[in-house]
Amino acid sequence: MANETGSTGLNRAGKVREAGVVVTGAGSGIGRALARGLAAAGARVVINDLDTEAAVAVAQEIGGYPAPGDMGTEKGVRELIAAAREYLGEIDIYCSNAGVGGGTSPVDTPDAAWQATWEVNVMAHVRATRELLPVWLQRGHGTMVITASAAGLLTMLGAAPYSVTKHAAESYAEWLAATYGHRGLTVHCICPQGVRTNMLASSGRAGQVVLADAAIEPEQVADALLAGMAAGEFLILPHPEVRGYYQLRAGDTGRWLRGMNRMQQRIEAVEREISQ
């Protein structure tokens, strides 16, 4: 096992100064805020995004290194990690943040859209850990940050593929922590509700009815992650009320589902009013 504080400055208390960090989907939104926050805390950050110009812009802003690429493919993940290792020397913290919405109901969403959502929202995490775990376990420490969603603990009305894949992402994060925690792997799973990003803006009527009023800024998500890393927390909940919803869902699932169905009826009523 590595000692409490390695040569990179990353330790079990979640310090990030001089740590080698990768943030995927960091050209905008939550990813950009995470990259900024980690860089401000002293990390050396590699910026990934599907949008090359956005990745370069954020890297220039924070003094990081741009490594654009598609996290929805195995090739893209491998190339990112190889480029990051060349620049950083080693990766200490990997923020698997890239995500997509896509799809509405099972009736209206074709298989190809389900698969595309699965590739980014789930398999990107799997492929990254496949590349990173051997080194992390050998040296006895490494940190995986998975951006899931409160939808992964609860659900998101109007977005079946998003909800299902975010549940899978949160479940995968749990599995990693339960399986490798004693071997030095630290896992954090970010589960916000509405965040003022392009994804929220394109979430349709359900997103506006359910999430818009309580939406927070991406920087608040980054602040929550840094605080949670320092405290050694698995679940990072930028909206603290999500914990209570999660407890209700587990303790009285029927009641929780009835409440969600009432919310669905409210969404449908708003849609009818608009269409009239």
Side-chain angles (χ1 to χ4, degrees), residues 170-239:
E170 195 278 335
S171 179
Y172 184 62
E174 287 185 358
W175 186 90
L176 287 173
T179 304
Y180 298 112
H182 67 297
R183 299 180 64 183
L185 178 65
T186 300
V187 184
H188 304 285
C189 187
I190 309 175
C191 294
Q193 289 196 112
V195 182
R196 295 188 182 98
T197 64
N198 293 334
M199 187 177 291
L200 177 61
S202 62
S203 62
R205 190 64 53 197
Q208 296 305 310
V209 171
V210 178
L211 301 175
D213 288 347
I216 62 175
E217 298 298 331
E219 289 73 19
Q220 292 172 267
V221 179
D223 290 344
L225 173 63
L226 289 168
M229 291 177 75
E233 296 174 348
F234 170 75
L235 276 182
I236 308 298
L237 301 177
H239 295 78

Side-chain angles (χ1 to χ4, degrees), residues 204-205 208-209 267-276:
R205 190 64 53 197
Q208 296 305 310
V209 171
I267 293 167
E268 293 175 7
V270 170
E271 290 175 338
R272 285 194 297 271
E273 289 176 6
I274 293 173
S275 65
Q276 290 175 353

Side-chain angles (χ1 to χ4, degrees), residues 100-111:
V100 295
T104 53
S105 74
V107 175
D108 299 325
T109 306
D111 285 1

